[in-house]
Every structure is written in C-alpha cells, then in structure tokens.
Amino acid sequence: MHIPATLVRGGTSKCWLFNQVHVPADRAHLERLLVDAYGAADPVHLDGVGGATPTTSKAAVVAASSREGIDVDYLFAQVGIGTGTVEWGSNCGNCATAIALYAVTKGLVPLTGDRTRVTMHNTNTGAILRAEVDTTGGVVHEFGTQTVPGTLSGGVAVGLTFHDPVGSGTGAGLPTGSAAEELSTAPAGPGGAALPPPYVSMVDAGAPVVLVDARRAGRTGAETLEQTRAEIPWLRAVRHSAAARMGLLRPGDRPGDAVPKVGLVGPPVPYTSTLGERIAAEDYDVSARMLSMNAPHPAIGLTSAVAVAVANLREGTVVAEASTAPGSSTLRIGTPAGVLAVRASGLSPDGPARVTVRRAARILCDAEIFVPAPAVAA
C-alpha cells in the first residue's frame, strides 16, 4: 500500500508530515503504520524512511482544524529507533516550523501578502503556536536564505511563537513549587563514578523540562556532543526521577525517554560550535546541552529553549543562577551548534504570554511511502 507523505526540514529537524485523511485515526493503528514506515524496530531504520537519529525520526499528522481561531491541528510522533514504538507525550517546535510551511504550501491556509500567519494546535499537549511564514510577493517559496544554528543551509523564514507556554503539561510553571532543588536519587556518572544528588530546576514551559546545574555536577554545560554522549546514562536517571517528582507518571507507569526533556545548563564559556565557529563567552548568556530522547541534541529543541528562557525569568532557578542576563526578556542560549536567541514578551508574575524564536523550513519532497498492507488494513 502507498501512503502519501511530505518530508520537511524544520529548523534542525526533519519530519515526515501526513495529512489526516491518509492515515488511521486510531492511535494504535497509526503507531503500527509509523513503525512499519520508518523501520522503527531496526536501530538503523534500514528498511524504512526513518532517519535513525532522534532529530530525523519525527512525524506529524496534520489536519485542517474545526476549532475557532485555529488553522491546523497536528499530532506529533517521536518514532523510536530500534524499539518498534512511538512516543506520543511531547511536542516539537522544529516540526511545528515545518508544519507551518506545509500548511501554506498545501493550501490549508490562504496566503496573506508578504507574511502569512498560521495558528496551530498541538493535540498531544494542547499547546497553541503561531507562525509567520515568509510569503513575500504573495507566493509560496520553495527556497530561502534564512539560516539557524546547526545548519549552513538556508530555508524559508518562519517566526514561531509559543502562546501561553507556561504549565501546559502539568498546570504549573514550577510543578514542584520550587525554583530549584536536589533530586533524591544520586545517579552514577561515566564509568560508574558516584555523583552528588543532582541540583535541578523542573520547569513546565513549552514542555516539561528538568535542567541540571552543570557546575554542581562537576560539568560546564558547554560539553561537546561526544562528552555529552558519555553523560546519557545518568541524565536518563535524572529524567526518570524528575518524571515522578513532576507528576508526569501515573501509578504503575514506566518512565519514558521523551518527557521530561533533560539537559545541563551552565555559565557562558568559550567553545567551538559543531560548524567550526569560535564562540566567545560574551557572545551568549547561558550554556545548554540537552538530550533528544537518548542522544545528545545537536542544537537544542525549541520546546527546551522555551523552558530555558522562562526559567531565566524565575529567580533562584539553575538557569537564572548561571545566566549573565537573569530576568532578561531576551536570552542568548549557547548550544553545540551555535547561539540561539529566544525572546519572551507579555511578561507577568505567572510568566510570559509569548515566547518567540526565528526559524527556517524547507520542503524536501512529496512522496508515497510503501508500507505492508496489514499496517494499513489495521
């Protein structure tokens, strides 16, 4: 059987996008289809269209929305690598960037001159995002010159804004009521070395995120990707402990590897980006090294960037303590790929009403994916 799909690069991710009319509405049947299409049981995705990395093994099902004020609804899927499963509990800002361009290109949203606004509802989390797609001249563009940290390739400019991002997953910006605290578990570090109890901020903004104070853990927060890879086992342990502490698990549930997001934060130090650019300490405000599922994120996920920016506004968080611009509405985050600027606006004691990042997207291909008939028949 053939399933129509579109491959889109959004920011530093690649996402296969499916129109709802072409795939099963039932979640279990949809998961079976994605597992087969991606070859998700295989750790290299050889017999499928998956990218075999967390940032290139994403999917979304998109539909015109019947909700007032919303243009499109989308269901985000983080397809497993060698697991034969799909994680449904999170959102992805880079894929939302891709979806905005897809919606304009496919006529789900009419063009409105030089900028076309797309309002999106993420059905996984309830998040509302608004994008402004560059449609200069009143036309859809296939190529563009906008770049983002993590790639030298240009794309169509997309401004992405998270609306009311605080507390969408747990109901509170600080789900435990504390700006920072020690987790009760003391995970082992690389080589089994004992580590002190991690000092963390658990934040729900954009997505639930647990941010570890790098300095207290004997780290910098500006590690290379290879150095971060060595930290994966204990950062996973931190994630799993935080999931229970943040109320993200029901009794009997096993913790997953999508939520909460987890990573290290530290003060700015000089480093060299993965693109070879020399970054000075004064070029940014705070370092972040995040995981994407069980791999170092090559840059930073946008939902994680939102959480870091919101944490920077909260006195006493590990971000505000490490940042050279605590409380600032604009935060420059040093990531492995370079510096990402995040802007918060509509500030109130409860947090910002909007958090905006500049992104880019490009449609790579329209295709028909061949999947086994049982997956479709299901």
Side-chain angles (χ1 to χ4, degrees), residues 126-251:
I128 302 297
L129 301 94
R130 291 192 174 92
E132 283 197 350
V133 181
D134 179 9
T135 52
T136 301
V139 298
V140 175
H141 299 289
E142 294 180 345
F143 301 95
T145 58
Q146 177 76 34
T147 58
V148 298
T151 175
L152 297 176
S153 301
V156 178
V158 179
L160 186 68
T161 298
F162 294 73
H163 281 252
D164 297 319
V166 177
S168 61
T170 65
L174 298 174
T176 70
S178 298
E181 61 188 81
E182 284 187 351
L183 283 180
S184 58
T185 56
L195 292 173
Y199 191 68
V200 306
S201 290
M202 290 170 276
V203 181
D204 181 5
V209 174
V210 54
L211 301 166
V212 181
D213 186 308
R215 292 172 297 181
R216 284 183 171 91
R219 309 293 186 265
T220 67
E223 281 73 16
T224 66
L225 293 180
E226 196 57 41
Q227 289 169 334
T228 304
R229 189 168 287 108
E231 312 289 352
I232 290 172
W234 76 268
L235 286 175
R236 286 188 70 210
V238 169
R239 168 194 279 150
H240 295 165
S241 295
R245 184 82 179 93
M246 296 171 78
L248 296 170
L249 298 178
R250 295 173 297 185

